[in-house]
Amino acid sequence: MKPRVKLAVVVVAVLLLATGSLGYVLHSARRGPQQAAADASFTLEGPGLYFRDTATGRIARQPLGAPGSARTGGGPECERFYAAGDTAVCLRREPGLPPRAYALILDRRLREVRRIAVPGIPSRARVSASGRMLSWTVFAVGDSYATTAFSTRTSILDLRTGYLIKSMEEIPLTLGAARYHAPDVNYWGVTFARDDNRFYATLSTKGRTYLVEGDMAAWSAKAVRENAECPSLSPDDTRVAFKKKVSDDPRAPWRLYVLDLTTLREHPLAEQRSVDDQAAWLDDRTITYALPGRRGRASDVWSVPADGSGTPRLTAEGASSPAAVR
């Protein structure tokens, strides 16, 4: 092929790729708001178990205390979701070049009130009981907590003041009765107390994980115990459900436990399968979480008694990211 002909072919190919990419981006931009929006009749009003329908990618709900009951669809499209009080947070990726991810802050009618760009792959989300405090975690590198090759970014937003903490990594930390600094510190999985000030989160450093207790007003954190990830405070603020590493097998490294915050005694739950999720409390007696689905489903939501008794119960098929709204 002659040089001029070869150059012409290259130019045409580049133009076609550019045109196609631009069209894809514009198409994604046009369809983004429709994907994010909830149907007008789908709101947070009234109690229910809200979750992501893995078949549609949109948020659905079913009655509380009615496992396997008929669901109502029509919620926003999210990859991770949580709701409490009059507020919801929806973590969502939009296709494009490059693809982008956002934390969508939603009101009680699930209307978007604020949109925050997040630098990574959506992973965890939480809202305090009052709806004032929100947090989310994204993977900056890697896509699994079962490996050491990952980095996270965890943010906290105070809706009352509008103040956004883009990364928790600068919080003054006490570990082993001394101030601690390390370049490999990562945080994820925040959960808030009812006073909107105290919170718990996972700290990872030097190949170990810790449960840390934080104070928003003092902007400080201290390690409470080792080997605890993805904490979730009970509605009465007395216990923390968490996943504990019990094996070096990357296929099944964790098991769900509950920690009494007064005695610091822990007990395993009846769920013996490995759970890679930030569990949620249906009420003071029951914990819910997602597991890989059966019969080709991406994931299912299960529940189990918080006292370690009973057996796991399938709560919602083809579902993930559960949140109990009372």
Side-chain angles (χ1 to χ4, degrees), residues 51 61-63 66-72:
F51 51 85
R61 69 167 176 261
Q62 67 184 36
S69 59
R71 68 186 61 181
T72 300

Side-chain angles (χ1 to χ4, degrees), residues 2 25 30 50 56 90 102 149 158 164 166-167 170 172 175 206 211 221 232 247 253 268 308:
K2 294 181 180 180
V25 171
R30 285 195 298 268
Y50 289 71
T56 65
C90 167
Y102 297 92
D158 184 337
L164 172 66
K166 293 184 178 181
S167 175
E170 301 303 319
L175 179 62
K206 309 298 183 186
L211 176 69
S232 180
S247 170

Side-chain angles (χ1 to χ4, degrees), residues 30-44:
R30 285 195 298 268
R31 61 196 276 263
Q34 284 116 12
Q35 288 179 329
D39 295 345
S41 61
F42 192 96
T43 71
L44 295 179

Side-chain angles (χ1 to χ4, degrees), residues 20-270:
S21 298
L22 178 59
Y24 180 69
V25 171
L26 291 175
H27 174 68
S28 299
R30 285 195 298 268
R31 61 196 276 263
Q34 284 116 12
Q35 288 179 329
D39 295 345
S41 61
F42 192 96
T43 71
L44 295 179
E45 295 174 356
L49 176 65
Y50 289 71
F51 51 85
R52 180 178 184 267
D53 186 316
T54 58
T56 65
R58 302 188 70 172
I59 303 306
R61 69 167 176 261
Q62 67 184 36
L64 282 173
S69 59
R71 68 186 61 181
T72 300
E77 183 175 331
C78 309
E79 291 196 30
R80 195 77 186 182
F81 177 86
Y82 201 80
D86 293 329
T87 308
V89 58
C90 167
L91 301 185
R92 177 170 169 266
R93 278 191 287 181
E94 292 183 353
L97 295 175
R100 298 182 179 183
Y102 297 92
L104 306 179
I105 315 306
L106 311 175
D107 64 14
R108 190 169 186 81
R109 300 195 65 81
L110 295 178
R111 297 172 298 194
E112 182 179 326
V113 296
R114 186 170 177 179
R115 173 179 292 222
I116 300 168
V118 295
I121 302 170
S123 173
R124 302 286 185 251
R126 272 299 188 268
V127 181
S128 68
S130 70
R132 171 184 172 179
M133 305 300 298
L134 295 85
S135 179
W136 53 86
T137 299
V138 297
F139 281 116
V141 179
D143 60 358
S144 173
Y145 294 105
T147 70
T148 57
F150 71 85
S151 177
T152 59
R153 177 74 61 84
T154 295
S155 304
I156 295 177
L157 172 65
D158 184 337
L159 277 186
R160 183 175 297 174
T161 65
Y163 184 66
L164 172 66
I165 297 167
K166 293 184 178 181
S167 175
M168 279 185 60
E169 292 179 7
E170 301 303 319
I171 189 171
L173 170 67
T174 299
L175 179 62
R179 284 290 299 274
Y180 184 81
H181 304 272
D184 70 339
V185 163
N186 278 298
Y187 290 95
W188 65 84
V190 173
T191 181
F192 297 99
R194 299 188 69 84
D195 63 6
D196 287 330
N197 181 65
R198 181 166 53 102
F199 66 89
Y200 292 86
T202 308
L203 161 70
S204 172
T205 182
K206 309 298 183 186
R208 297 181 176 181
T209 61
Y210 300 85
L211 176 69
V212 298
E213 179 181 0
D215 185 308
M216 287 297 302
W219 191 234
S220 63
K222 62 180 180 180
V224 175
R225 55 153 295 155
E226 192 176 343
N227 193 7
E229 301 181 48
C230 297
S232 180
L233 261 172
S234 59
D236 62 9
D237 281 0
T238 64
R239 292 153 294 160
V240 166
F242 66 97
K243 63 178 192 179
K244 177 179 180 179
K245 187 175 181 180
V246 295
S247 170
D248 289 327
D249 183 351
R251 297 169 298 179
W254 299 293
R255 185 168 176 185
L256 285 179
Y257 277 71
V258 166
L259 174 71
D260 186 302
L261 291 172
T262 301
T263 64
L264 293 184
R265 293 178 179 174
E266 65 179 41
H267 62 263
L269 300 187

